[in-house]
Amino acid sequence: MSNVSTRKRGLPNPLQWIGAAVIGLFAEIGRLSLFAAKVKFAAVTPRWYLGQVWRQMVNIGFYSLPVVGMSAVFIGAALALNIYEGGSRYGAEQFVPSIVVLGITRELGATITGLMLAGRVSAGISAEIGAMRVTEQIDALETLSASPYRYLYAPRFLAAIIALPLLVLVADVIGIMGGWLVSVYALDFDSTTYLRNTIDFVTNEDIIVGLIKAVVFGAVIAIMGCYQGDRSEAGATGVGRAATLSMVGAAVLVLAANYLMSTLFVEIGL
């Protein structure tokens, strides 16, 4: 009888497990929010390390151009094909250029760029910061009264929110040209008419929406990378786990932020 009671006492309580998980989730959200607030404060107040900002802009922006460009051209081409296929069922093929430019500028250009950089940049930042954390380089900075928030995290944050909109502009142009290439050379659209319809349909608001999203995505990517890297555990396994968590977390937050901002823009008519 005592053995049965002992086994019963040893069984996990589902409510206790759920409660611990919820408390852990809110604690993690609180830690991430506090970390993000410190990074943003360091980014908007002096001292600024402009050399670090420039180096990070080159790493985040310039070195990401190939993957962003290739992703954008294929997305634009696939979007044009699918819109043509759907529109042909109702005799609405003429709307292909309008829907392609709207989908690229308002949605896909920023989202695809954000997801690509969540994998490349956020994981890279996390691995770099994590390696510095486990080798005690960050502790050495603090010993020398150099704030890692100002010297390491804020430059990456500033570089990301500057580079992402520039990358999105490039992705918009390349994505639209990808749709144009497929439409003209595979779907027999007239080139001049396609380009005229594209230019006449797109508005400044469509481009601005994509750029606003890009700024938010850049902040999310940089903060997630720095946060997970700063919390990295010792060893190669810990650094690898931090890189994985930063990539997954940044991708999920990019998609969640995209939905929330799209809803907001629809509500306010932007």
Side-chain angles (χ1 to χ4, degrees):
M1 187 69 179
S2 59
N3 292 335
V4 175
S5 301
T6 302
R7 286 197 298 269
K8 287 184 177 180
R9 287 196 299 269
L11 291 175
N13 188 335
L15 294 179
Q16 182 180 4
W17 183 86
I18 294 172
V22 172
I23 292 173
L25 173 63
F26 280 102
E28 186 70 11
I29 293 173
R31 286 190 292 266
L32 177 59
S33 300
L34 182 60
F35 182 88
K38 290 180 179 180
V39 173
K40 292 175 183 177
F41 179 78
V44 300
T45 57
R47 169 184 181 187
W48 295 287
Y49 295 90
L50 299 182
Q52 286 284 344
V53 174
W54 174 251
R55 280 191 288 271
Q56 294 303 321
M57 283 185 63
V58 172
N59 182 46
I60 294 172
F62 180 75
Y63 292 141
S64 297
L65 280 174
V67 66
V68 169
M70 288 189 292
S71 301
V73 70
F74 289 125
I75 287 295
L79 184 62
L81 285 172
N82 283 281
I83 293 171
Y84 180 84
E85 176 64 24
S88 63
R89 301 176 186 179
Y90 304 97
E93 301 92 336
Q94 69 273 16
F95 294 111
V96 169
S98 302
I99 300 177
V100 167
V101 70
L102 183 66
I104 292 291
T105 55
R106 292 186 70 97
E107 187 71 24
L108 292 177
T111 304
I112 294 300
T113 301
L115 291 176
M116 291 297 102
L117 268 67
R120 181 191 175 275
V121 173
S122 187
I125 291 176
S126 180
E128 183 181 9
I129 298 296
M132 297 179 69
R133 170 61 72 185
V134 299
T135 56
E136 300 183 353
Q137 295 180 52
I138 295 178
D139 295 332
L141 281 175
E142 294 172 342
T143 302
L144 297 172
S145 300
S147 170
Y149 288 92
R150 294 194 181 279
Y151 187 75
L152 295 177
Y153 308 148
R156 287 164 173 78
F157 175 82
L158 291 172
I161 65 175
I162 295 172
L164 258 292
L166 299 178
L167 286 173
V168 167
L169 285 176
V170 173
D172 288 347
V173 174
I174 295 177
I176 292 169
M177 295 310 296
W180 171 80
L181 285 171
V182 169
S183 298
V184 171
Y185 293 102
L187 303 178
D188 296 327
F189 276 73
D190 179 72
S191 176
T192 303
T193 303
Y194 186 98
L195 293 176
R196 184 183 300 114
N197 290 341
T198 298
I199 295 172
D200 291 343
F201 188 79
V202 69
T203 64
N204 292 332
E205 287 77 10
D206 297 329
I207 299 173
I208 290 172
V209 164
L211 296 181
I212 293 173
K213 289 182 177 182
V215 172
V216 176
F217 296 165
V220 167
I221 290 167
I223 288 174
M224 282 301 300
C226 293
Y227 175 73
Q228 294 295 345
D230 185 71
R231 290 171 52 83
S232 177
E233 299 175 355
T237 302
V239 175
R241 183 173 182 272
T244 301
L245 289 174
S246 67
M247 179 187 67
V248 174
V252 171
L253 289 178
V254 162
L255 294 174
N258 177 65
Y259 169 74
L260 294 175
M261 286 188 290
S262 296
T263 303
L264 175 63
F265 293 144
V266 169
E267 291 293 330
I268 64 177
L270 182 61

